[in-house]
Amino acid sequence: MSHLHLPTPISKKFFTPGVIVLSVIALNGIIFLLGRFFFGIGSVTNLNDQFPWGIWIGLDVAAGVALAAGGFTTAALGHIMHRDKYETVIRPALLTAMLGYTFVATGVFVDIGRWYYIWHPLVMWNGNSALFEVGICVMIYVTVLYIEFLPIVTERFIGKVNLPGFLSRFNKFIDRLLRALDRGLSKTMFVFIIAGVVLSCLHQSSLGTLMIIAGPKMHPLWQTPILPLLFLLSAFSVGFPMVIAESLSASRSFGLKPETEVLSSLSKFIAPLLGIYLIGKIGDMVIRETFVYLAEINFISIMFGIEIIIGVIVPLRMFLSPEVRKSPTGLFIASMLVIFGVVMNRFNNFVTAYNPPYAVESYFPSIGEISVTLGFVAIEILMYRLFVMIFPVISIPSTKANIKTKYAIRGVAK
Amino acid sequence: MSQNRRDFFKTIAAIGAGGTALSAVTPKKNIAAPENLLSTERKGVLVDTTVCIGCRKCEWACKGAHDIEQGNYEDYQNDKTFETNRRPSAKSLTVVNQYFAEETPATIKLQCMHCDHPACVSACIVGAFSKVENGSVIWDTDKCIGCRYCMVACPFQVPAFEYEKALDPKIAKCDFCYERTKVGKLPACIEICPVEAMTYGKREDLILEAKRRIKNYPDRYYDHIFGEYEVGGTSWLYIAQKDLVSSVFPKLGNNPAPGVSESIQHGLFAYFVPPIAVYALLGGIMWLSKDRETKKENT
């Protein structure tokens, strides 16, 4: 490594014009959310008996889970395959995954009719249900993500616990607790890292199984028994673009130098992954002969076209070009296109493709639904900003002596 | 369509599905309910839509049996109702609609079909739905979390949800009057029907009866018993003057609705072998690549 990068809490002003705009969007979402809790789902959403699921499931949950894939893909690359140079992107990806899944869980919480029974799947099992599998895996994985994040918390506070007032008597105890946690975790972390990857593979694919049971209600362009495989492959493809887009936005926002070198070598993996996904998608279309539906130009085929051309083929071509991979702008645009493609894909699978019998009019999300979804995104970005200012997540070039050994790679017996 | 899908799926499974755990999927048929629940004794209803006069007494009786605000019976005798194509909802678990058979109006009662292999039972995250021995598909409201996956899954688009309720919204659908049949009574709609448009009995017998009617009165009936084979068979069976598919019911295959998803689900998790195998594989990779790092450091 040419120069040393060290994860450090960012010390910048929290409130900027951007933050204020995000806060307004967040507040607007929260207001509609309160409406949902006080007056019922029907008062805020356009859902009805024909369209039971809208964007809260299609975007907040399904796309949210996919976009949090950076967590497990970088963990697999950095920790499991031990590609050390990617270490600097693992922590931001882990934080995004942690926040992302927290909001996925929140999304489910606000969408289900009886939110106070959200714990039911823990004790009432139905192994035949794809949703049960997704639910259980996500619950366990959220826990695993929090455990994976704990070493960053201990690193931040060991030797620095300084509670105000009478609470100060607990300082020593908490410090000892943190040290014990840290010791225990550094020996066992590999268990959680592998579990995180396995759990991710499981529920990313099961998310694809979800809509299969809708059968003929789902448009044949998307309805296929290999949906689980396609969902898994698309999650693989979007992991690194998320990490790249997010790293570039963060460095821009905090006025840091973009880590172009690491990111461009990370971007080498994206084209092959997208290629495999595209082969799966087109192969499926050829085998099931669903390409006939593309001959008719309508809303469905246009949505499919946008998803495949803008969301997969264009970025695939971009990531094959060395010039694009070397330029931060090129990397950012190409990554955003992949992200857009996956969001489109989840939206199409859950909303566009779903065509129930007897529907009188088609579903379009209400202002309330859109507000809540945007609000969640805004809150997530604000939380990210807050977290990277409190905890050592983002690596910045350091002139200090090499002190990375203790906390750099967690849970890997050295 | 579904046949193609199944074949394609087998092909994919055979070539190993790109090395994923999908290869563990076997084409064996998984069903939502245990086989013994589909006893030959299970009950059903034969709806003869050529007999139905559209009096909507069944709607009224159904509400009464399920503690739903009934209103006056006189209000039901309003032909204006037939101008809209209604669907079963939380406020009315069964509805009578008008459709046109050979230009002449006919009426048809709709409610949950009580599938033999119910998609809702398979889909429900907490197992709130169950198919019981007498053929009814019932649900346990206390388990329900309101995720509405049953509504996504149901091929007939039957379960309804109380969207307007902030607290305790329920999934609602016809329960085949389980509370009444348990004590030997007829379902409320059947008991009240003044023209005996519906026949309650053993599903097997009803199919024989339907076949007999179709054979004896070929001018009166279209030669198809809707529900005999659709989505693996339903407890409610319909005979009518014309084909009900597409005019009243969606076009559905004869495979059980939850078949494909359950095969995939059980394939991915066959005795937890695939997840554990992936875990072991990743652990192995982690262990092996650890050495590469130390080698690099030493050089």
Side-chain angles (χ1 to χ4, degrees), chain B residues 105-253:
Chain B
T107 43
I108 186 165
K109 176 184 178 295
L110 299 172
Q111 72 297 307
C112 169
M113 300 290 287
H114 298 277
C115 306
D116 281 346
H117 306 289
C120 54
V121 172
S122 169
C124 182
I125 181 168
V126 288
F129 282 88
S130 47
K131 172 92 176 166
V132 292
E133 223 152 332
N134 74 355
S136 318
V137 175
I138 57 168
W139 78 102
D140 180 349
T141 295
D142 293 333
K143 282 186 179 177
C144 176
I145 65 168
C147 71
R148 311 188 294 285
Y149 191 33
C150 50
M151 300 167 73
V152 172
C154 176
F156 297 100
Q157 199 73 42
V158 164
F161 182 71
E162 298 179 310
Y163 285 100
E164 71 289 352
K165 275 196 177 173
L167 275 182
D168 237 22
K170 288 185 178 64
I171 289 286
K173 74 165 192 68
C174 156
D175 63 350
F176 215 163
C177 279
Y178 187 60
E179 295 303 317
R180 291 170 57 94
T181 54
K182 235 179 7 189
V183 293
K185 287 198 227 168
L186 278 174
C189 55
I190 294 160
E191 189 182 66
I192 204 168
C193 184
V195 290
E196 293 184 31
M198 292 170 279
T199 318
Y200 181 82
K202 261 167 66 179
R203 187 175 181 274
E204 282 188 336
D205 299 343
L206 295 175
I207 290 171
L208 292 178
E209 169 64 13
K211 284 184 176 155
R212 192 188 64 81
R213 288 190 202 178
I214 293 172
K215 194 178 158 219
N216 290 354
Y217 306 96
D219 295 340
R220 188 175 173 133
Y221 299 104
Y222 178 82
D223 185 12
H224 180 73
I225 309 168
F226 188 88
E228 188 183 4
Y229 297 115
E230 274 78 9
V231 291
T234 60
S235 294
W236 282 62
L237 306 157
Y238 286 80
I239 47 173
Q241 200 186 348
K242 69 161 202 175
D243 190 11
L244 294 172
V245 173
S246 84
S247 65
V248 174
F249 293 115
K251 193 172 162 26
L252 302 162

Side-chain angles (χ1 to χ4, degrees), chain B residues 12-76:
Chain B
I12 288 296
I15 61 170
T20 68
L22 268 178
S23 55
V25 176
T26 49
K28 71 164 188 270
K29 262 201 182 147
N30 285 291
I31 48 167
E35 204 87 49
N36 62 354
L37 282 182
L38 298 179
S39 72
T40 50
E41 293 298 308
R42 71 185 186 280
K43 298 294 193 286
V45 175
L46 176 63
V47 186
D48 190 334
T49 66
T50 65
V51 175
C52 177
I53 53 169
C55 67
R56 299 177 58 217
K57 274 200 164 78
C58 47
E59 283 186 33
W60 183 78
C62 172
K63 290 183 188 179
H66 291 94
D67 297 322
I68 300 169
E69 178 71 45
Q70 260 177 313
N72 291 324
Y73 175 68
E74 288 69 43
D75 298 343
Y76 285 70

Side-chain angles (χ1 to χ4, degrees), chain A residues 23-275:
Chain A
S23 309
V24 172
I25 298 173
L27 198 67
N28 177 50
I30 291 170
I31 291 168
F32 279 102
L33 205 53
L34 290 177
R36 175 257 170 275
F37 282 107
F38 285 115
F39 307 108
I41 297 176
S43 65
V44 176
T45 67
N46 278 348
L47 300 177
N48 53 41
D49 287 344
Q50 308 303 321
F51 291 95
W53 282 1
I55 57 166
W56 287 357
I57 295 292
L59 292 182
D60 299 23
V61 176
V65 166
L67 297 187
F72 87 94
T73 47
T74 49
L77 188 67
H79 288 317
I80 293 181
M81 296 178 194
H82 285 282
R83 303 286 178 92
D84 286 352
K85 67 174 163 180
Y86 300 115
E87 207 177 280
T88 54
V89 296
I90 292 180
R91 284 188 179 197
L94 170 62
L95 176 61
T96 323
M98 188 177 95
L99 291 175
Y101 273 93
T102 307
F103 278 88
V104 165
T106 319
V108 173
F109 181 75
V110 304
D111 187 78
I112 64 173
R114 305 178 179 204
W115 40 271
Y116 40 86
Y117 281 164
I118 195 161
W119 52 273
H120 271 188
L122 284 174
V123 287
M124 301 168 189
W125 293 16
N126 177 16
N128 289 329
S129 169
L131 190 63
F132 172 74
E133 202 280 316
V134 175
I136 288 289
C137 268
V138 168
M139 281 192 204
I140 304 173
Y141 186 48
V142 174
T143 316
V144 167
L145 282 167
Y146 280 98
I147 294 172
E148 286 184 41
F149 195 77
L150 264 181
I152 301 175
V153 179
T154 59
E155 176 180 325
R156 170 71 178 78
F157 286 111
I158 283 178
K160 292 174 193 156
V161 183
N162 190 11
L163 295 169
F166 79 99
L167 285 172
S168 60
R169 73 183 73 167
F170 296 112
N171 280 351
K172 220 170 183 176
F173 169 73
I174 292 176
D175 191 69
R176 260 206 306 246
L177 186 75
L178 288 176
R179 280 171 202 277
L181 257 179
D182 187 63
R183 265 197 311 278
L185 283 175
S186 57
K187 290 203 185 75
T188 51
M189 190 50 87
F190 73 97
V191 175
F192 296 108
I193 288 170
I194 305 176
V197 177
V198 176
L199 285 164
S200 293
C201 289
L202 289 179
H203 72 253
Q204 293 283 3
S205 53
S206 285
L207 201 65
T209 323
L210 271 192
M211 291 305 276
I212 284 180
I213 203 166
K217 287 197 242 178
M218 204 179 165
H219 195 277
L221 275 174
W222 287 277
Q223 177 65 286
T224 156
I226 64 157
L227 268 178
L229 181 61
L230 292 176
F231 266 56
L232 184 63
L233 292 176
S234 55
F236 283 152
S237 323
V238 81
F240 298 145
M242 264 309 274
V243 171
I244 292 172
E246 170 206 316
S247 169
L248 290 172
S249 325
S251 43
R252 192 188 162 88
S253 167
F254 291 116
L256 303 167
K257 200 170 161 291
E259 301 171 77
T260 319
E261 199 189 315
V262 177
L263 298 183
S264 65
S265 77
L266 188 65
S267 72
K268 279 186 199 138
F269 297 100
I270 300 172
L273 288 171
L274 273 176

Side-chain angles (χ1 to χ4, degrees), chain B residues 70-103:
Chain B
Q70 260 177 313
N72 291 324
Y73 175 68
E74 288 69 43
D75 298 343
Y76 285 70
Q77 282 151 322
N78 184 349
D79 279 353
K80 276 228 151 72
T81 316
F82 290 134
E83 282 169 17
T84 45
N85 192 20
R86 297 178 305 147
R87 292 295 304 160
S89 69
K91 291 202 176 66
S92 162
L93 307 180
T94 182
V95 292
V96 178
N97 274 339
Q98 193 173 61
Y99 73 104
F100 286 86
E102 331 273 287
E103 306 293 303

Side-chain angles (χ1 to χ4, degrees), chain A residues 10-31:
Chain A
I10 308 281
S11 49
K12 284 270 155 71
K13 207 168 65 143
F14 184 77
F15 283 100
T16 61
V19 170
I20 290 162
V21 171
L22 285 174
S23 309
V24 172
I25 298 173
L27 198 67
N28 177 50
I30 291 170
I31 291 168

